[in-house]
C-alpha cells in the first residue's frame, strides 16, 4: 500500500492517534498542526489523501482546503468538532470530499480513507482524463466537419 496520508490537526494527541491507526493499516503518515504547515507538506511530498481539522491556528482548515484545491486534485476528509449540518455543507462546498465529526470511530475513519484512496487511485485525476476525452472528441468532430479537400471534375 504505502500511500502517503497527511493528518492535520492542532490537537497533537488526535494526530498521534490517527497516525498510529493509519500506520497500522500500512499507510505512510505525515503530520501537520496548522493549515500553513499542511500547505508546505503538500507542496513538498507526494500526498495522496488529507485528513484536515477545521479550527486551527495560522490558517484554518477550510482555507487550507481551498488553497490546496487551487493546485491539487486529491481526496480531502474534513475531521471536525463542528457537527452542525450547516458546517458539513460548508466544508463539502468549499472542496472537502468527506466530512467526519468528532468524536469519530477510528475504524470508520480508516474505512473512509481506504475507500477514497481506492477511488482516487483507480480513477486517477478524473479532470485530466476528461480533458483528454474532450480534446479527443473535439478533434474528431473538427476532422469530420472539415470541408473536403477533393477537387471536382469539371
Amino acid at each position: 500500500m504505502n500511500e502517503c496520508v497527511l493528518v492535520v490537526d492542532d490537537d497533537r494527541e488526535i494526530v498521534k492517534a490517527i497516525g498510529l491507526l493509519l500506520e497500522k493499516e500500512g499507510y505512510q503518515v505525515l503530520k501537520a498542526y496548522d493549515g500553513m504547515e499542511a500547505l508546505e507538506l503538500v507542496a513538498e511530498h507526494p500526498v495522496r489523501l488529507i485528513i484536515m481539522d477545521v479550527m486551527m491556528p495560522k490558517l484554518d482548515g477550510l482555507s487550507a482546503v481551498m488553497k490546496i484545491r487551487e493546485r491539487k486534485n486529491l481526496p480531502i476528509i474534513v475531521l471536525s468538532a463542528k457537527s452542525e449540518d450547516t458546517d458539513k455543507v460548508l466544508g463539502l462546498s468549499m472542496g472537502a470530499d468527506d466530512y467526519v465529526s468528532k468524536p469519530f470511530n477510528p475504524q470508520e475513519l480508516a474505512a473512509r480513507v481506504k475507500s477514497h484512496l481506492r477511488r482516487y487511485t483507480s480513477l486517477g485525476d478524473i479532470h485530466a482524463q476528461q480533458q483528454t476525452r474532450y480534446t479527443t472528441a473535439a478533434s474528431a468532430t473538427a476532422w469530420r466537419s472539415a470541408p473536403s479537400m477533393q477537387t471536382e471534375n469539371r
Side-chain angles (χ1 to χ4, degrees):
M1 194 176 296
N2 219 13
E3 284 129 345
C4 183
V5 176
L6 173 59
V7 180
V8 189
D9 198 309
D10 59 330
D11 185 331
R12 291 180 179 270
E13 290 301 313
I14 289 177
V15 172
K16 182 179 177 182
I18 294 172
L20 290 172
L21 171 73
L22 295 177
E23 287 169 353
K24 183 179 173 188
E25 295 289 324
Y27 299 103
Q28 176 189 356
V29 178
L30 295 174
K31 300 169 184 173
Y33 304 100
D34 62 64
M36 292 302 293
E37 189 178 2
L39 294 178
E40 292 170 12
L41 289 173
V42 167
E44 297 169 359
H45 297 278
V47 174
R48 300 296 292 258
L49 181 140
I50 302 170
I51 299 172
M52 178 87 66
D53 185 25
V54 172
M55 296 179 291
M56 294 184 293
K58 296 185 184 175
L59 182 66
D60 69 272
L62 294 181
S63 296
V65 167
M66 289 179 14
K67 289 219 176 267
I68 291 165
R69 283 288 178 237
E70 290 174 5
R71 300 193 184 270
K72 300 277 186 177
N73 180 32
L74 57 107
I76 300 175
I77 300 172
V78 168
L79 181 67
S80 179
K82 298 178 108 183
S83 60
E84 295 293 319
D85 288 342
T86 54
D87 297 317
K88 294 175 185 177
V89 169
L90 180 63
L92 294 167
S93 67
M94 292 181 77
D97 297 294
D98 202 351
Y99 195 107
V100 177
S101 298
K102 296 176 186 176
F104 61 94
N105 178 313
Q107 289 78 23
E108 179 186 349
L109 181 62
R112 288 176 186 264
V113 166
K114 185 175 183 179
S115 174
H116 281 287
L117 282 171
R118 181 177 60 243
R119 267 192 302 284
Y120 177 70
T121 55
S122 68
L123 295 176
D125 185 347
I126 195 71
H127 296 296
Q129 290 175 12
Q130 287 175 340
Q131 184 62 39
T132 300
R133 256 185 264 138
Y134 294 146
T135 302
T136 303
S139 296
T141 301
W143 181 79
R144 282 194 304 267
S145 63
S148 174
M149 298 300 290
Q150 297 174 356
T151 58
E152 292 182 43
N153 290 335
R154 292 184 197 191

